[in-house]
Amino acid sequence: MTAATPCLRHWRGWVEAAQADAWLERLRQEVPWKQESIRVYGRRHAMPRLTCWMADPGCGYRYSGLENAIEPWTPLAAAIRRRVGEAAAQEFNSLLLNYYRDGRDAMGWHADDEAELDPEAPIASLSLGASRTLRFRPRQRGTAPTLAVELGHGDLLLMDPPTQRHWQHGLPRRLRVETPRLNLTFRRVRLPA
Ligand SMILES: O=C(O)CCC(=O)C(=O)O
């Protein structure tokens, strides 16, 4: 059964603007960004964004068929993890960073429901830079209306369970956007007991 709406908690301007500006600039410069490629119908395509997977040792993660190399936490990413973890009352052990260089960069429809992720933990998403729209649609198409959430500079969005089970999300292109955006999604990878 599809929940009627995704379970979201959205704090606009969770980070105040000057702090968000400083985080945006530092992360752009110091994160080891990569442009991965994905295979679609047998052909390789460059992903329309740059990415980095930062995580505690042992927290590997595959998505779009890619095994992500684990990068160590930078001091700034570790400090942001602490603050986001307090807001979400959750200990996150991993972080996917996405760098959308301008409005041509985007992310397709998907759910963050890979087997490695703890389905009981929220996913916390911090946005820095250009405003973009995150869209949600039910996985069982037509069972609930789609939803659009405008994510601005410094916004924090918590996606609580069972959102990933019932909903997909995606970030469409917005061609008039000429400035960059970073998105940080803090996650909880399941570790062997
Ligand atoms: O950039 C965004 O707001 C979405 C990122 C996302 O969907 C993800 O990391 O799974």
Side-chain angles (χ1 to χ4, degrees):
M1 200 189 76
T2 300
T5 55
C7 302
L8 305 177
R9 288 181 276 165
H10 185 187
W11 285 278
R12 289 185 204 282
W14 181 75
V15 187
E16 63 83 25
Q19 174 88 90
D21 291 346
W23 286 1
L24 174 68
E25 269 328 298
R26 250 181 86 183
L27 291 167
R28 280 177 72 190
Q29 284 165 28
E30 66 187 24
V31 169
W33 299 105
K34 292 192 201 85
Q35 186 167 24
E36 304 279 8
S37 63
I38 41 170
R39 194 176 278 282
V40 183
Y41 298 118
R43 293 183 59 183
R44 290 227 148 260
H45 295 269
M47 266 194 187
R49 60 189 177 276
L50 309 182
T51 59
C52 177
W53 177 248
M54 276 183 203
D56 292 347
C59 295
Y61 181 51
R62 282 181 76 83
Y63 73 92
S64 299
L66 293 170
E67 178 74 46
N68 287 284
I70 301 179
E71 296 291 339
W73 295 91
T74 63
L76 176 57
I80 299 174
R81 162 166 72 161
R82 275 192 295 279
R83 276 189 55 182
V84 170
E86 281 165 17
Q90 179 68 52
E91 281 185 28
F92 294 107
N93 57 15
S94 50
L95 165 62
L96 179 65
L97 298 107
N98 285 297
Y99 180 176
Y100 305 89
R101 292 157 291 183
D102 60 29
R104 286 170 299 184
D105 278 350
M107 181 164 318
W109 289 110
H110 67 285
D112 297 325
D113 64 345
E114 290 79 5
E116 296 93 323
L117 296 179
D118 179 349
E120 303 303 322
I123 291 180
S125 156
L126 175 66
S127 295
L128 301 170
S131 265
R132 298 283 295 266
T133 308
L134 187 68
R135 300 187 68 84
F136 288 84
R137 71 179 185 190
R139 292 175 78 155
Q140 275 184 285
R141 247 25 77 59
T143 53
T146 59
L147 185 81
V149 181
E150 187 70 13
L151 294 177
H153 192 39
D155 285 11
L156 182 66
L157 179 74
L158 297 187
M159 295 186 268
D160 285 313
T163 301
Q164 308 300 329
R165 184 138 53 90
H166 299 301
W167 293 80
Q168 291 184 322
H169 55 277
L171 190 96
R173 297 166 90 197
R174 191 188 273 182
L175 295 182
R176 63 178 184 279
V177 171
E178 292 175 353
T179 51
R181 169 176 185 265
L182 299 188
N183 178 259
L184 284 65
T185 47
F186 292 87
R187 296 144 187 262
R188 186 141 188 95
V189 166
R190 291 198 249 216
L191 292 167

